[in-house]
Amino acid sequence: MTSYTPLTDVIVTKRNIENCSFSKWYPLFKGHTPKSKILKPVPHEFIQYLKQDGIKLPYDQEEKSFYTSNIERNDENDYSDWEDSELVTDENLEIESNSINPLVHFSEFHSQLKDIIRDLGPVTPKLNWSAPRDATWILPNNSMKCNEVNEIYLLLNASNYIMHDLEHAYDECQKDTNDVVIPETELILREWFDVNPALEFRVFVKDRRIIGVTQRDLNYYDYLEALSNTFKDLIDEFVEDVVLPKFPDKSFVLDVYIPRPFNKVYLIDINPFARKTDSLLFSWNELITHDNTVVDESGEDAASSDYELRLITENNTGRFASKEHSENQVPSDVVEASLNPGAISELVQKWKELLNKQEEDSGDECNGENGQ
């Protein structure tokens, strides 16, 4: 008889999801996470703007933006068959009348975002639960660093993770016995700081005990293994002394950052203990079925257990060879065109030339067949 491991259910309630909303946990751990501004509630029109088809940036005459600047004709883009109506100009950058325009439909909120960037400097955005990590391809710096408000709009509009927050946050939740107020959509702008991806970790806590830790960036870093005991000691202390006394749920998933000189843990995010949270180097079934019962010398349950810190131990092969979030990315020439208005004309011209060549080749084949 073939043996198999049955798929174990993970019971998640709306309350669990709500407790992981940023505005719920940020006040509890403000001294352990980057400085952030919470905008709540956000205008209904802003949510509709994120949901509408396409990415339509506002043309703000009061603020110069790289993303809405005019195309200047030059020797490289002044093609003879390029129609004036196809050029990106001030006029056709204006949002169509049937679309949401930030300057018209939520102008005060738009101005508030610009003020926060002036106050904090570069920021990185997120909604209640998710950051647009899957949309970094759309910015020139390939990160979530936003220097202007249009970069915030680009990231949020291009992210599948953001759409999940807006439309599927409570999928697969068990019905609560008590009524739970659905959190309002909130926009968080966090003060930007450079992060070494090798030092980001995901911590799985089940029934108030750590059952596993994995590195978040699935690339090989040869110095991590020698530091694994240091990381575990810091994570144990942080979870037991900082998180468990304040966070209401017994099971949850932490994203933490431990920069040099490895003497402090920064809390980046709290995620629900649910299959929708990426288990990275673990499988959810082994996490759920993990027996983490440990009793200390006093006879009471210990907050930390004998868990594994999983690291990539060799250069990426197989499943780790692809870039993170690559399923949400697009060809590089399309990205370049989306970021550089001047490149749009070049991309379209190349496309026209390709189509013309295909038509010519098809005509040659037909002539050849007719001549036989």
Side-chain angles (χ1 to χ4, degrees):
M1 179 180 292
T2 302
S3 61
Y4 65 93
T5 302
L7 191 64
T8 306
D9 290 334
V10 184
I11 298 176
V12 183
T13 67
K14 289 183 178 180
R15 180 73 70 184
N16 298 141
I17 303 296
E18 180 186 359
N19 288 339
C20 293
S21 186
F22 188 86
S23 63
K24 282 284 187 178
W25 62 260
Y26 177 70
L28 302 176
F29 308 108
K30 202 169 183 178
H32 302 273
T33 193
K35 182 179 180 181
S36 305
K37 292 281 189 180
I38 302 174
L39 293 95
K40 179 182 179 181
V42 299
H44 174 72
E45 292 80 3
F46 174 72
I47 299 174
Q48 296 305 113
Y49 174 67
L50 298 184
K51 290 183 176 182
Q52 72 183 1
D53 292 336
I55 302 176
K56 301 177 177 66
L57 299 179
Y59 178 70
D60 190 345
Q61 293 181 338
E62 297 180 359
E63 182 172 346
K64 185 178 180 181
S65 171
F66 166 80
Y67 302 93
T68 55
S69 59
N70 290 337
I71 291 180
E72 297 181 1
R73 287 181 179 273
N74 53 47
D75 292 338
E76 295 182 357
N77 65 23
D78 192 9
Y79 299 110
S80 59
D81 60 347
W82 184 258
E83 299 291 340
D84 287 342
S85 61
E86 293 177 303
L87 289 174
V88 179
T89 65
D90 291 353
E91 289 76 14
N92 60 35
L93 278 168
E94 293 290 346
I95 305 298
E96 295 89 339
S97 59
N98 61 344
S99 300
I100 303 295
N101 183 344
L103 299 180
V104 175
H105 298 94
F106 50 91
S107 58
E108 291 186 7
F109 189 72
H110 177 81
S111 298
Q112 189 177 4
L113 298 182
K114 294 195 297 183
D115 291 341
I116 291 175
I117 293 176
R118 278 193 288 267
D119 179 36
L120 292 182
V123 298
T124 179
K126 66 171 293 180
L127 295 191
N128 301 49
W129 301 278
S130 302
R133 292 170 61 93
D134 59 325
T136 55
W137 56 266
I138 205 169
L139 296 188
N141 54 30
N142 288 319
S143 74
M144 292 191 295
K145 181 180 182 180
C146 296
N147 296 288
E148 60 165 284
V149 67
N150 276 339
E151 292 182 323
I152 295 175
Y153 294 152
L154 281 169
L155 279 176
L156 297 180
N157 273 283
S159 172
N160 289 333
Y161 296 167
I162 294 302
M163 290 308 300
H164 175 273
D165 274 19
L166 295 175
E167 298 183 343
H168 303 288
Y170 295 97
D171 288 0
E172 302 177 6
C173 283
Q174 185 186 59
K175 290 184 179 180
D176 294 319
T177 54
N178 300 320
D179 291 334
V180 176
V181 177
I182 303 294
E184 297 174 292
T185 299
E186 56 198 44
L187 173 64
I188 295 91
L189 298 182
R190 311 182 81 168
E191 189 173 35
W192 170 264
F193 68 102
D194 287 322
V195 171
N196 180 351
L199 303 176
E200 292 184 283
F201 300 93
R202 178 156 286 181
V203 183
F204 298 90
V205 178
K206 177 187 174 187
D207 296 328
R208 298 179 62 81
R209 300 183 187 89
I210 301 172
I211 59 172
V213 178
T214 170
Q215 67 181 84
R216 290 201 64 189
D217 182 61
L218 302 182
N219 286 293
Y220 173 61
Y221 300 96
D222 57 5
Y223 58 89
L224 290 183
E225 189 170 3
L227 292 166
S228 59
N229 288 334
T230 299
F231 294 143
K232 289 184 71 172
D233 289 343
L234 287 167
I235 290 171
D236 287 345
E237 183 179 0
F238 181 73
V239 171
E240 185 167 358
D241 297 344
V242 177
V243 181
L244 289 180
K246 295 181 179 179
F247 194 70
D249 290 344
K250 294 182 178 180
S251 301
F252 48 87
V253 181
L254 303 176
D255 287 333
V256 300
Y257 179 54
I258 310 176
R260 298 179 187 275
F262 310 127
N263 56 9
K264 182 174 181 178
V265 176
Y266 290 89
L267 178 61
I268 303 300
D269 212 350
I270 302 181
N271 311 283
F273 192 84
R275 289 187 184 274
K276 66 169 61 180
T277 301
D278 193 342
S279 59
L280 298 172
L281 295 177
F282 290 91
S283 72
W284 266 107
N285 229 40
E286 64 180 317
L287 289 171
I288 297 164
T289 57
H290 184 276
D291 182 8
N292 61 326
T293 303
V294 175
V295 179
D296 64 18
E297 294 179 357
S298 65
E300 298 180 355
D301 290 345
S304 59
S305 60
D306 185 17
Y307 62 87
E308 181 182 0
L309 168 58
R310 288 192 179 173
L311 304 170
I312 301 294
T313 57
E314 59 184 12
N315 285 322
N316 289 353
T317 58
R319 60 173 284 201
F320 303 126
S322 61
K323 188 177 180 181
E324 188 178 19
H325 314 300
S326 59
E327 72 278 4
N328 296 326
Q329 298 180 13
V330 297
S332 59
D333 53 354
V334 177
V335 176
E336 181 183 356
S338 70
L339 300 175
N340 180 2
I344 297 176
S345 59
E346 183 179 353
L347 179 62
V348 173
Q349 177 64 18
K350 288 180 179 179
W351 184 254
K352 287 181 178 179
E353 292 174 355
L354 178 61
L355 292 178
N356 289 336
K357 187 177 185 304
Q358 289 177 339
E359 290 177 359
E360 291 174 1
D361 292 343
S362 297
D364 291 342
E365 289 178 2
C366 290
N367 292 334
E369 292 175 359
N370 292 335
Q372 289 179 353

